[in-house]
Amino acid sequence: MTEPAAPLPAPRLGEPFLLTPGPLTTDFATKEAMLRDWGSWDSDFRAMTRTLCDRLLVLAGDRAGEYACVPMQGSGSFAVEAMLGSLVPKDGKVLVLANGAYGLRAAETLRYLGRAHTVIDKGDYLPPRGAEVAAALDADPAITHVVAIHCETSSGILNPLAEIAEAVHVRGRKLLIDSMSAFGAIPLDVGEIPCAALVSSANKCIEGVPGFGFVIARRDALEAAQGNSHSLALDLHAQWAYMEKTGQWRYTPPTHAVAAFLKALEIHAAEGGVAGRGARYARNRDVMVAGMRGLGFETLLDDRWLSPIIVTFFCPADPAFVFQTFYDLMKARGFIIYPGKLTVVDSFRIGVIGRMDEHVMARVVQAAADALAEMGVESAAPPAAALAERAKLAA
Ligand SMILES: *Cc1c(COP(=O)(O)O)cnc(C)c1O
């Protein structure tokens, strides 16, 4: 991995940078790849689907051919629902490890599906640890599956997947990983992190456009999934079996999003794959976080838990700070930021994924400095309540 020679080009047509965890800023070539039409049954498009699945299996580290990749139309949540509804049998029981909105959404999905489940809810951002997962599994032999969120995008925390996977594996249970906002930038090798399945989507770290998700699942888990699904359209087994037989998606595929994704995968490979992409995102985070701290902002998480995906900052205590005004001033400077998702204190988030580099991140910090000055904010320091909240992490 070498340093990028020149800054990445800015998005064309005066688009703002999306400092959001998907949809995100894509390469112009990725957008351009959508400028033609494909027949969904045609051999050209079937070959595109094949390539897409093969490349994703390589990224996931499936050297033994034990896994299959099953794309699913819709946003990432559709793929999560397909995974849960298909791979968890009707008499299964799921332990959900929640520390934010996406873990809670998985539990809510299971409630809709009528699957027995129990939740370890760590609140807004505390990480679920291997030891507590082990204790929960030992206490309840009925649990068949565990759902873990790789990067919990609502706080930006990078959860300790390896210790969780270890606790699940040695107890003979099956792990289902929501790696939506991490896959492609943070290593997740199925040879090292044993799992029944992982799920991600087109518009996160691979830097494609929205339109589909994909489940990378053990073939034996897919084989055993026949008849489990509550839903015709979200039946992962049926989608897999049909694709194996015909090379086609069962129902209308998002052809243009698939074409864009293949271009995005080429760009991903040219950047050095997961390692190269992860290194750029980590530099983005480091430059942005250092700059924001220099302005007096404080992060919710300490460095150990900060993902190279998205970072949560506390809103300043200064009464001159109004989030909506800050948002508008950042947008006027070409940057779309993201409101926070903490329940206890006010916060906002800045994503560092998408087609942008450390030079852009330096401009983000400058834009934030200008916005604070324009609002008349003297200090970006958070309120005492925020720091008290954060002290819980250290405890
Ligand atoms: C983006 C994301 C999802 C899926 O969200 P959609 O809005 O349905 O695409 C699920 N889990 C995590 C952790 C995510 O970041």
Side-chain angles (χ1 to χ4, degrees):
M1 179 61 214
T2 51
E3 291 291 311
L8 291 175
R12 300 198 194 172
L13 310 169
E15 291 171 50
F17 281 99
L18 302 181
L19 305 176
T20 54
L24 37 62
T25 295
T26 58
D27 196 281
F28 192 79
T30 299
K31 293 186 253 278
E32 209 170 36
M34 294 187 282
L35 292 178
R36 62 156 283 190
D37 305 312
W38 287 268
S40 62
W41 43 264
D42 183 69
S43 61
D44 290 347
F45 186 72
R46 278 183 284 152
M48 288 159 68
T49 299
R50 185 73 261 148
T51 304
L52 178 152
C53 291
D54 290 347
R55 296 233 174 122
L56 289 174
L57 286 167
V58 170
L59 280 188
D62 173 42
R63 283 167 290 275
E66 287 171 340
Y67 287 76
C69 171
V70 190
M72 181 58 75
Q73 296 94 329
S75 84
S77 300
F78 292 63
V80 172
E81 186 160 331
M83 174 180 78
L84 295 176
S86 306
L87 298 189
V88 179
K90 291 199 168 79
D91 60 357
K93 181 171 183 184
V94 183
L95 170 64
V96 179
L97 309 178
N99 56 342
Y102 292 103
L104 295 178
R105 188 181 298 176
E108 176 74 346
T109 306
L110 290 163
R111 192 178 70 75
Y112 267 72
L113 299 179
R115 293 293 193 279
H117 61 282
T118 176
V119 181
I120 295 182
D121 185 355
K122 303 288 295 194
D124 277 344
Y125 56 86
L126 296 176
R129 303 305 305 256
E132 59 195 320
V133 174
L137 293 179
D138 289 340
D140 188 351
I143 293 169
T144 54
H145 292 72
V146 176
V147 172
I149 313 295
H150 194 178
C151 171
E152 177 45 84
T153 323
S154 43
S155 65
I157 189 170
L158 191 55
N159 282 320
L161 203 53
E163 66 185 45
I164 292 168
E166 168 76 10
V168 175
H169 182 67
V170 301
R171 285 163 184 79
R173 318 300 172 85
K174 297 188 170 75
L175 180 63
L176 304 173
I177 304 171
D178 173 350
S179 185
M180 202 71 64
S181 62
F183 187 78
I186 298 172
L188 204 187
D189 189 313
V190 294
E192 282 154 30
I193 304 280
C195 61
L198 67 93
V199 58
S200 184
S201 74
N203 58 283
K204 303 255 170 151
C205 297
I206 307 290
E207 300 184 354
V209 303
F212 65 96
F214 47 89
V215 180
I216 293 176
R218 286 189 62 89
R219 289 179 174 273
D220 52 16
L222 285 166
E223 271 153 22
Q226 184 163 19
N228 282 349
S229 182
H230 61 294
S231 159
L232 172 70
L234 293 178
D235 186 339
L236 200 65
H237 176 272
Q239 178 92 326
W240 171 63
Y242 187 81
M243 229 172 231
E244 290 271 290
K245 202 167 93 192
T246 67
Q248 295 173 39
W249 302 49
R250 248 177 343 151
Y251 308 131
T252 302
T255 46
H256 299 75
V258 168
F261 193 73
L262 286 175
K263 176 52 78 177
L265 279 170
E266 273 174 35
I267 295 169
H268 182 266
E271 190 174 356
V274 175
R277 180 73 36 107
R280 173 163 58 87
Y281 290 174
R283 278 199 304 275
N284 284 355
R285 174 200 58 199
D286 293 346
V287 167
M288 190 272 290
V289 167
M292 293 292 281
R293 283 179 176 156
L295 300 179
F297 284 103
E298 301 233 20
T299 59
L300 164 72
L301 302 172
D302 56 44
D303 293 356
R304 175 175 175 208
W305 299 107
L306 280 186
S307 67
I309 307 295
I310 188 166
V311 179
T312 297
F313 292 94
F314 293 123
C315 288
D318 190 323
F321 183 90
V322 179
F323 176 73
Q324 187 59 49
T325 310
F326 184 63
Y327 180 95
D328 293 340
L329 290 170
M330 292 295 285
K331 182 174 176 185
R333 286 160 175 80
F335 300 109
I336 302 281
I337 62 168
Y338 220 42
K341 256 192 182 170
L342 303 182
T343 49
V344 181
V345 291
D346 290 335
S347 61
F348 64 91
R349 292 176 289 169
I350 296 184
V352 299
I353 66 178
R355 209 70 201 141
M356 53 206 185
D357 60 16
E358 65 210 273
H359 305 286
V360 173
M361 290 297 135
R363 286 166 46 205
V364 171
V365 173
Q366 188 55 52
D370 294 346
L372 291 184
E374 197 165 329
M375 284 191 288
V377 174
E378 306 262 295
S379 159
L387 297 176
E389 176 69 14
R390 188 173 66 180
K392 282 195 215 159
L393 240 189

Short mmCIF file of all heavy atoms in Angstrom, two decimals, residues 45-79:
data_model
loop_
_atom_site.label_atom_id
_atom_site.label_comp_id
_atom_site.label_asym_id
_atom_site.label_seq_id
_atom_site.Cartn_x
_atom_site.Cartn_y
_atom_site.Cartn_z
N PHE A 45 -25.51 -10.34 -18.33
CA PHE A 45 -25.83 -9.97 -16.95
C PHE A 45 -25.62 -11.14 -15.99
O PHE A 45 -25.16 -10.94 -14.86
CB PHE A 45 -27.26 -9.42 -16.83
CG PHE A 45 -27.54 -8.89 -15.45
CD1 PHE A 45 -26.98 -7.70 -15.02
CD2 PHE A 45 -28.31 -9.61 -14.54
CE1 PHE A 45 -27.18 -7.23 -13.71
CE2 PHE A 45 -28.52 -9.15 -13.25
CZ PHE A 45 -27.96 -7.95 -12.84
N ARG A 46 -25.91 -12.34 -16.46
CA ARG A 46 -25.65 -13.50 -15.59
C ARG A 46 -24.16 -13.60 -15.26
O ARG A 46 -23.78 -13.92 -14.13
CB ARG A 46 -26.16 -14.78 -16.26
CG ARG A 46 -27.67 -14.96 -16.04
CD ARG A 46 -28.17 -16.25 -16.64
NE ARG A 46 -28.26 -16.13 -18.09
CZ ARG A 46 -28.15 -17.14 -18.95
NH1 ARG A 46 -27.92 -18.36 -18.51
NH2 ARG A 46 -28.27 -16.94 -20.24
N ALA A 47 -23.33 -13.29 -16.24
CA ALA A 47 -21.87 -13.32 -15.99
C ALA A 47 -21.49 -12.24 -14.97
O ALA A 47 -20.61 -12.45 -14.13
CB ALA A 47 -21.12 -13.12 -17.30
N MET A 48 -22.16 -11.09 -15.05
CA MET A 48 -21.88 -10.02 -14.08
C MET A 48 -22.23 -10.47 -12.66
O MET A 48 -21.48 -10.25 -11.70
CB MET A 48 -22.66 -8.75 -14.45
CG MET A 48 -22.12 -8.04 -15.68
SD MET A 48 -23.33 -6.94 -16.48
CE MET A 48 -23.52 -5.67 -15.24
N THR A 49 -23.36 -11.15 -12.53
CA THR A 49 -23.77 -11.64 -11.20
C THR A 49 -22.75 -12.67 -10.67
O THR A 49 -22.36 -12.64 -9.51
CB THR A 49 -25.16 -12.28 -11.28
OG1 THR A 49 -26.10 -11.28 -11.71
CG2 THR A 49 -25.60 -12.86 -9.94
N ARG A 50 -22.31 -13.55 -11.58
CA ARG A 50 -21.32 -14.57 -11.20
C ARG A 50 -20.03 -13.91 -10.68
O ARG A 50 -19.49 -14.25 -9.64
CB ARG A 50 -21.05 -15.42 -12.45
CG ARG A 50 -20.17 -16.59 -12.33
CD ARG A 50 -20.83 -17.75 -11.61
NE ARG A 50 -20.40 -17.75 -10.22
CZ ARG A 50 -21.11 -18.15 -9.19
NH1 ARG A 50 -22.35 -18.58 -9.36
NH2 ARG A 50 -20.64 -18.12 -7.97
N THR A 51 -19.56 -12.92 -11.46
CA THR A 51 -18.32 -12.22 -11.07
C THR A 51 -18.48 -11.55 -9.71
O THR A 51 -17.60 -11.63 -8.85
CB THR A 51 -17.98 -11.15 -12.14
OG1 THR A 51 -17.88 -11.81 -13.40
CG2 THR A 51 -16.69 -10.45 -11.83
N LEU A 52 -19.61 -10.90 -9.54
CA LEU A 52 -19.89 -10.20 -8.28
C LEU A 52 -19.79 -11.17 -7.09
O LEU A 52 -19.10 -10.91 -6.10
CB LEU A 52 -21.29 -9.59 -8.38
CG LEU A 52 -21.90 -8.83 -7.22
CD1 LEU A 52 -22.89 -7.81 -7.77
CD2 LEU A 52 -22.64 -9.73 -6.26
N CYS A 53 -20.44 -12.32 -7.24
CA CYS A 53 -20.44 -13.29 -6.13
C CYS A 53 -19.04 -13.86 -5.90
O CYS A 53 -18.59 -13.98 -4.76
CB CYS A 53 -21.44 -14.42 -6.41
SG CYS A 53 -23.15 -13.84 -6.35
N ASP A 54 -18.35 -14.18 -6.99
CA ASP A 54 -17.01 -14.75 -6.84
C ASP A 54 -16.07 -13.77 -6.13
O ASP A 54 -15.30 -14.16 -5.25
CB ASP A 54 -16.43 -15.11 -8.22
CG ASP A 54 -17.13 -16.30 -8.85
OD1 ASP A 54 -17.89 -16.99 -8.13
OD2 ASP A 54 -16.94 -16.54 -10.06
N ARG A 55 -16.13 -12.51 -6.54
CA ARG A 55 -15.23 -11.52 -5.93
C ARG A 55 -15.53 -11.32 -4.44
O ARG A 55 -14.62 -11.17 -3.63
CB ARG A 55 -15.37 -10.17 -6.65
CG ARG A 55 -14.94 -10.24 -8.09
CD ARG A 55 -13.90 -9.16 -8.42
NE ARG A 55 -13.44 -9.36 -9.77
CZ ARG A 55 -13.52 -8.45 -10.74
NH1 ARG A 55 -14.00 -7.25 -10.47
NH2 ARG A 55 -13.08 -8.72 -11.95
N LEU A 56 -16.82 -11.33 -4.11
CA LEU A 56 -17.18 -11.13 -2.70
C LEU A 56 -16.71 -12.32 -1.85
O LEU A 56 -16.27 -12.14 -0.71
CB LEU A 56 -18.68 -10.91 -2.55
CG LEU A 56 -19.17 -9.54 -3.08
CD1 LEU A 56 -20.69 -9.46 -3.02
CD2 LEU A 56 -18.55 -8.39 -2.29
N LEU A 57 -16.79 -13.51 -2.41
CA LEU A 57 -16.33 -14.69 -1.65
C LEU A 57 -14.82 -14.63 -1.42
O LEU A 57 -14.33 -15.02 -0.36
CB LEU A 57 -16.72 -15.97 -2.39
CG LEU A 57 -18.22 -16.30 -2.31
CD1 LEU A 57 -18.60 -17.38 -3.31
CD2 LEU A 57 -18.60 -16.72 -0.89
N VAL A 58 -14.09 -14.12 -2.40
CA VAL A 58 -12.64 -13.94 -2.22
C VAL A 58 -12.39 -12.92 -1.11
O VAL A 58 -11.58 -13.12 -0.21
CB VAL A 58 -11.96 -13.52 -3.54
CG1 VAL A 58 -10.52 -13.09 -3.29
CG2 VAL A 58 -12.02 -14.65 -4.55
N LEU A 59 -13.14 -11.81 -1.15
CA LEU A 59 -12.96 -10.77 -0.11
C LEU A 59 -13.25 -11.34 1.28
O LEU A 59 -12.62 -10.93 2.26
CB LEU A 59 -13.92 -9.60 -0.35
CG LEU A 59 -13.54 -8.57 -1.41
CD1 LEU A 59 -14.52 -7.41 -1.35
CD2 LEU A 59 -12.12 -8.07 -1.18
N ALA A 60 -14.20 -12.27 1.36
CA ALA A 60 -14.57 -12.84 2.66
C ALA A 60 -13.59 -13.92 3.11
O ALA A 60 -13.72 -14.45 4.21
CB ALA A 60 -15.99 -13.40 2.61
N GLY A 61 -12.64 -14.26 2.23
CA GLY A 61 -11.62 -15.24 2.62
C GLY A 61 -12.08 -16.69 2.54
O GLY A 61 -11.55 -17.56 3.21
N ASP A 62 -13.08 -16.95 1.68
CA ASP A 62 -13.59 -18.33 1.55
C ASP A 62 -12.68 -19.15 0.64
O ASP A 62 -12.98 -19.37 -0.52
CB ASP A 62 -15.02 -18.30 1.00
CG ASP A 62 -15.53 -19.71 0.70
OD1 ASP A 62 -15.28 -20.60 1.53
OD2 ASP A 62 -16.15 -19.91 -0.35
N ARG A 63 -11.59 -19.65 1.20
CA ARG A 63 -10.64 -20.41 0.37
C ARG A 63 -11.10 -21.84 0.13
O ARG A 63 -10.75 -22.47 -0.86
CB ARG A 63 -9.25 -20.41 1.03
CG ARG A 63 -8.52 -19.08 0.82
CD ARG A 63 -7.31 -18.96 1.71
NE ARG A 63 -7.67 -18.79 3.10
CZ ARG A 63 -7.96 -17.62 3.66
NH1 ARG A 63 -7.89 -16.51 2.95
NH2 ARG A 63 -8.30 -17.53 4.94
N ALA A 64 -11.92 -22.38 1.02
CA ALA A 64 -12.30 -23.79 0.93
C ALA A 64 -13.59 -24.02 0.14
O ALA A 64 -14.04 -25.15 0.00
CB ALA A 64 -12.42 -24.36 2.34
N GLY A 65 -14.20 -22.95 -0.37
CA GLY A 65 -15.45 -23.12 -1.11
C GLY A 65 -16.60 -23.58 -0.22
O GLY A 65 -17.54 -24.22 -0.68
N GLU A 66 -16.52 -23.23 1.05
CA GLU A 66 -17.58 -23.65 1.98
C GLU A 66 -18.75 -22.67 2.02
O GLU A 66 -19.79 -22.97 2.58
CB GLU A 66 -17.00 -23.75 3.40
CG GLU A 66 -16.12 -24.96 3.60
CD GLU A 66 -15.39 -24.95 4.92
OE1 GLU A 66 -15.24 -23.86 5.54
OE2 GLU A 66 -14.95 -26.02 5.33
N TYR A 67 -18.54 -21.49 1.45
CA TYR A 67 -19.56 -20.45 1.52
C TYR A 67 -20.13 -20.14 0.14
O TYR A 67 -19.49 -20.42 -0.88
CB TYR A 67 -18.96 -19.16 2.11
CG TYR A 67 -18.68 -19.25 3.60
CD1 TYR A 67 -17.57 -19.97 4.07
CD2 TYR A 67 -19.52 -18.65 4.52
CE1 TYR A 67 -17.31 -20.07 5.43
CE2 TYR A 67 -19.26 -18.74 5.89
CZ TYR A 67 -18.16 -19.45 6.34
OH TYR A 67 -17.92 -19.54 7.69
N ALA A 68 -21.31 -19.58 0.14
CA ALA A 68 -21.91 -19.08 -1.10
C ALA A 68 -22.32 -17.64 -0.87
O ALA A 68 -22.58 -17.24 0.27
CB ALA A 68 -23.13 -19.92 -1.48
N CYS A 69 -22.35 -16.87 -1.94
CA CYS A 69 -22.78 -15.47 -1.84
C CYS A 69 -24.16 -15.36 -2.47
O CYS A 69 -24.35 -15.76 -3.62
CB CYS A 69 -21.78 -14.58 -2.59
SG CYS A 69 -22.34 -12.87 -2.75
N VAL A 70 -25.11 -14.84 -1.71
CA VAL A 70 -26.47 -14.69 -2.22
C VAL A 70 -26.86 -13.21 -2.18
O VAL A 70 -27.10 -12.67 -1.10
CB VAL A 70 -27.49 -15.50 -1.38
CG1 VAL A 70 -28.84 -15.54 -2.08
CG2 VAL A 70 -26.97 -16.90 -1.10
N PRO A 71 -26.88 -12.54 -3.34
CA PRO A 71 -27.33 -11.16 -3.35
C PRO A 71 -28.84 -11.10 -3.13
O PRO A 71 -29.55 -12.04 -3.48
CB PRO A 71 -26.98 -10.65 -4.76
CG PRO A 71 -26.36 -11.78 -5.49
CD PRO A 71 -26.52 -13.03 -4.68
N MET A 72 -29.30 -10.01 -2.55
CA MET A 72 -30.73 -9.84 -2.30
C MET A 72 -31.14 -8.40 -2.62
O MET A 72 -30.49 -7.46 -2.15
CB MET A 72 -31.02 -10.18 -0.83
CG MET A 72 -32.46 -10.09 -0.40
SD MET A 72 -33.61 -11.15 -1.31
CE MET A 72 -33.27 -12.78 -0.65
N GLN A 73 -32.18 -8.26 -3.41
CA GLN A 73 -32.66 -6.92 -3.77
C GLN A 73 -33.08 -6.14 -2.51
O GLN A 73 -33.56 -6.73 -1.56
CB GLN A 73 -33.89 -7.04 -4.70
CG GLN A 73 -33.63 -7.67 -6.04
CD GLN A 73 -33.90 -9.18 -6.07
OE1 GLN A 73 -33.73 -9.86 -5.06
NE2 GLN A 73 -34.29 -9.68 -7.21
N GLY A 74 -32.94 -4.83 -2.58
CA GLY A 74 -33.39 -3.98 -1.47
C GLY A 74 -32.22 -3.37 -0.72
O GLY A 74 -31.06 -3.56 -1.08
N SER A 75 -32.52 -2.64 0.32
CA SER A 75 -31.46 -2.05 1.14
C SER A 75 -30.88 -3.13 2.06
O SER A 75 -31.34 -4.28 2.06
CB SER A 75 -32.01 -0.88 1.96
OG SER A 75 -32.59 -1.34 3.16
N GLY A 76 -29.90 -2.76 2.85
CA GLY A 76 -29.24 -3.73 3.72
C GLY A 76 -30.20 -4.45 4.67
O GLY A 76 -30.04 -5.64 4.92
N SER A 77 -31.19 -3.74 5.16
CA SER A 77 -32.13 -4.35 6.12
C SER A 77 -32.91 -5.50 5.49
O SER A 77 -33.31 -6.44 6.18
CB SER A 77 -33.10 -3.30 6.65
OG SER A 77 -32.39 -2.28 7.32
N PHE A 78 -33.14 -5.42 4.17
CA PHE A 78 -33.85 -6.51 3.48
C PHE A 78 -32.98 -7.78 3.52
O PHE A 78 -33.47 -8.88 3.72
CB PHE A 78 -34.15 -6.14 2.02
CG PHE A 78 -35.17 -5.05 1.85
CD1 PHE A 78 -34.95 -3.77 2.34
CD2 PHE A 78 -36.36 -5.29 1.18
CE1 PHE A 78 -35.88 -2.75 2.17
CE2 PHE A 78 -37.30 -4.28 1.01
CZ PHE A 78 -37.06 -3.02 1.50
N ALA A 79 -31.68 -7.59 3.33
CA ALA A 79 -30.76 -8.73 3.36
C ALA A 79 -30.64 -9.29 4.78
O ALA A 79 -30.55 -10.50 4.97
CB ALA A 79 -29.39 -8.32 2.82
#
